Amino acid sequence: MSETRPRWPGWPAVLLIAALGATAAAAVQAHRATVSERVLAEQALRDFSSFVAWSYRLHVRDAVRASVEAVLGPINHGDALHVGAGTPETESLVHYMPWDEACYCHRPPRLGPRAFLGYTLGADTLSFVVNRYPQPDRGWLVDTTEARLHGPRELAALVSPELPELPEFGAAELAALNGAITRHVRTFWPSDWGYGLIVEEILGERRFLAYRPMARTIGDTIVYAVEYAASDVERFLTDVLDAESLLPEAFTKPVARTTSVAGGPLNRALIDVEVSDRDGRKLFASRATSDWTYAATTMLPPSFASLGVRAQIRPEAADAVLAGGLPRSRLPFLAGLIALAAALSIVAVGQLRRDADLSRLRADFVSSVSHELRTPLAQIRLFLETLRLGRAKTEQDRNWSLENLERETTRLTHLVENVLQFGRASHGVEADGFTEPAGVIDVAAEARAIASAFEPLAAAKATILVEADKPAAAAVDADGLRQILLNLLDNAVKYGPKGQTVRVAVQRDGSHVRLAVSDEGPGVPANERRRVWEPFVRGHNGKTRAVGGSGIGLTVVRDVVRRYGGDATIQDAPGGGARFVVRFPSAELPSTGSC
């Protein structure tokens, strides 16, 4: 009988193909369904948040308008000029507010002022009237003598006959208020609603003012203003948030019946709102939170102090807002996929050996990047613990810790940017060949700025010297140049000796701009100067191999340089070391002259 040679059974291949097909179909279905549902749900929440931000801004604008018009409306002539030489005294504005016999006081509007101000535009002086009512948030009173004689018995007991009639504003404060209002009038007037709102730091304190100029046919323009207390403004913004009209009933009624939102006013249980001034400093927040997952922002016009509004549906209230709630993970389905993937892994293990070299390179890359990430993360954690536990006793120690935190964060950011750039290039996200830059930049000026930002990272090992005296314009994006120069500087500092001087030279070279970075390290042998630009390839020099790194920095440099139609080479630096040279086609800076 002849010997029958064993044949390779076909069922493992069939099983592998069938399993892979089933896994791919199931994975695609699950991925598409989950991603689609999640994207739609989150977009709906962001749309709700945009509506909330818009509604809150609108309510704040209308409420501020009504409150300001109630106190400054009597002197508002619109576009008409004030006729006659006489003008209302500042104190008389108080008496335009409604009078209430019950409290023997003027009842302020929704947002009552704490002081009235008046002055002639351009003058150095400013008159004012302050509230003498014992409970300023409930009423307004100027003449305490009349209140004691004719007011209710309860009020007469509260108003002391010895109440000093002293000014409540100092000279410096009045001058600062005068300057702030004058500057705002001359910058933002005329207003789109007839008045102006100011939220500004004055003498180290945030002040809230509203004003209205009164142009006259005789004499200079008179400016009348009111000031609001910070506590009243916060209470005012809280009242706007709690208004029933802020959110539509169709939105709040179904949510109010659920048990997932409980406690406190309904609006605050559903939404987060934050108001900030034009410089981004927070004025009001419905609650303290750092989670703004679904946030939307909007801004009031300059006549309303350019107040910014950030609002969102609270993440914990998302299930109550969305019909059916946020999409949940299909755990049983995913568990089945994992089990199937495990079976496929056992069958396919022998087929994966052909990619051994690539897998090793990837593993080395992951290991290198993990090591590079671990070091700055460990340093950041160390200095955070130092600050949190109060081990930094002096201001100098705290500044030293913060400087180290900034340095390690910069290093971490640089590494992540390299990995992202390398990943985009590896997957073909960026097109091959030349890419038209957004504009023309001065490479010399940008190089100086980038080197200055890198100096804290290099301070312990090297000195950065930039030789770029003349402008050198090239059609390069600032972000791309930053990636190039940061990688070259990082290489120079890593592989050079401690105490070295790293030189950055920028100059025009015919029709190109030449950027060169020279170090005092071991240099790059001539036979390796092509290979070191490839991914994961590092020099064979013993000192070079001992230095940590991801192995993709020069690859990123090469890809970015090629993207702008340039080239990159390696030369010997004078006196030893390596000189990395990149060249870009030169260009002309746009003219800044006026026509």
Side-chain angles (χ1 to χ4, degrees), residues 18 52 68 127 142 155 178 194 301 438:
V52 171
V68 173
S127 63
V142 177
L155 179 62
N178 185 318

Side-chain angles (χ1 to χ4, degrees), residues 1-258:
M1 179 183 290
S2 63
E3 182 178 354
T4 303
R5 302 181 64 182
R7 298 177 60 188
W8 174 256
W11 63 264
V14 174
L15 177 60
L16 178 60
I17 294 173
L20 285 176
T23 302
V28 168
Q29 180 184 1
H31 175 73
R32 286 181 176 176
T34 302
V35 170
S36 177
E37 291 174 7
R38 191 78 188 185
V39 168
L40 289 175
E42 291 181 349
Q43 185 58 48
L45 290 173
R46 291 189 178 92
D47 290 342
F48 285 148
S49 299
S50 297
F51 170 79
V52 171
W54 171 83
S55 179
Y56 187 82
R57 184 196 68 170
L58 188 66
H59 280 69
V60 167
R61 186 198 67 183
D62 292 343
V64 168
R65 182 196 296 267
S67 298
V68 173
E69 286 178 348
V71 292
L72 293 179
I75 56 96
N76 186 353
H77 296 297
D79 295 331
L81 297 176
H82 177 74
V83 179
T87 57
E89 296 293 335
T90 303
E91 183 175 331
S92 68
L93 298 183
V94 177
H95 301 291
Y96 288 115
M97 290 190 296
W99 178 258
D100 190 343
E101 288 290 342
C103 66
Y104 205 79
C105 67
H106 295 279
R107 287 286 188 185
R110 185 174 186 177
L111 179 59
R114 83 176 186 96
F116 285 81
L117 310 168
Y119 71 105
T120 301
L121 188 64
D124 297 332
T125 59
L126 185 149
S127 63
F128 63 92
V129 178
V130 296
N131 191 2
R132 298 294 183 180
Y133 199 75
Q135 297 171 314
D137 58 328
R138 298 188 177 181
W140 243 93
L141 194 62
V142 177
D143 189 349
T144 57
T145 302
E146 185 179 1
R148 288 195 300 271
L149 295 177
H150 305 289
R153 185 178 306 170
E154 296 79 8
L155 179 62
L158 290 173
V159 178
S160 169
E162 291 79 29
L163 185 67
E165 297 290 337
L166 297 176
E168 308 250 350
F169 293 94
E173 190 175 17
L174 289 173
L177 291 171
N178 185 318
I181 301 173
T182 300
R183 183 171 60 254
H184 203 276
V185 170
R186 289 174 175 171
T187 303
F188 297 107
W189 200 260
S191 165
D192 55 352
W193 59 297
Y195 306 88
L197 187 67
I198 302 175
V199 179
E200 190 171 315
E201 290 281 340
I202 300 177
L203 297 181
E205 180 184 355
R206 185 183 287 127
R207 310 294 283 265
F208 303 84
L209 303 124
Y211 67 88
R212 168 69 195 186
M214 179 194 284
R216 300 189 294 166
T217 57
I218 302 175
D220 295 327
T221 298
I222 302 297
V223 179
Y224 294 98
V226 290
E227 182 179 11
Y228 303 103
S231 58
D232 292 336
V233 172
E234 183 174 0
R235 184 166 53 250
F236 168 80
L237 294 174
T238 302
D239 291 340
V240 174
L241 174 62
D242 292 336
E244 292 184 1
S245 59
L246 181 65
L247 300 176
E249 186 174 335
F251 176 69
T252 57
K253 260 194 173 182
V255 177
R257 291 196 296 266
T258 67

